[in-house]
Amino acid sequence: PRLLLVGKRVDAAMPELERFLDDALLNGAAEVEVVHGSGEGVLRKAVREFLAAHRAVTAFHAAGPNQGGDNVTIVEMKAR
């Protein structure tokens, strides 16, 4: 599962990210990807701050170079 947030403003992206994570948790996903792009890094920072506080997220990290690098965040979810 992958959420594409490239080009969105933080205030529009955060509710979408929250719904995506809730759906991933309900569907038992162990790992998801959030594509936020690079730009000035504002959206990436907001996404990662949100993930750090989310109850269902156990860990997150930048994707590998062949998966988008710092433009993509890999999110590890708690098991149901």
Side-chain angles (χ1 to χ4, degrees):
R2 173 180 270 211
L3 176 63
L4 184 61
L5 297 176
V6 175
K8 297 194 178 189
R9 298 180 60 83
V10 170
D11 58 347
M14 292 303 99
E16 194 171 335
L17 176 59
E18 185 168 18
R19 282 189 303 275
F20 175 73
L21 294 176
D22 289 345
D23 288 346
L25 183 62
L26 288 172
N27 290 313
E31 184 178 280
V32 296
E33 295 180 9
V34 180
V35 182
H36 39 68
S38 57
E40 295 179 15
V42 175
L43 184 56
R44 176 180 54 237
K45 181 177 186 235
V47 164
R48 292 181 179 173
E49 286 175 356
F50 184 88
L51 294 173
H54 197 280
R55 70 196 184 294
V57 174
T58 58
F60 59 91
H61 55 86
N66 61 336
Q67 293 176 296
D70 213 26
N71 300 324
V72 178
T73 299
I74 306 296
V75 184
E76 297 173 28
M77 307 288 294
K78 286 183 182 175
R80 280 178 39 165

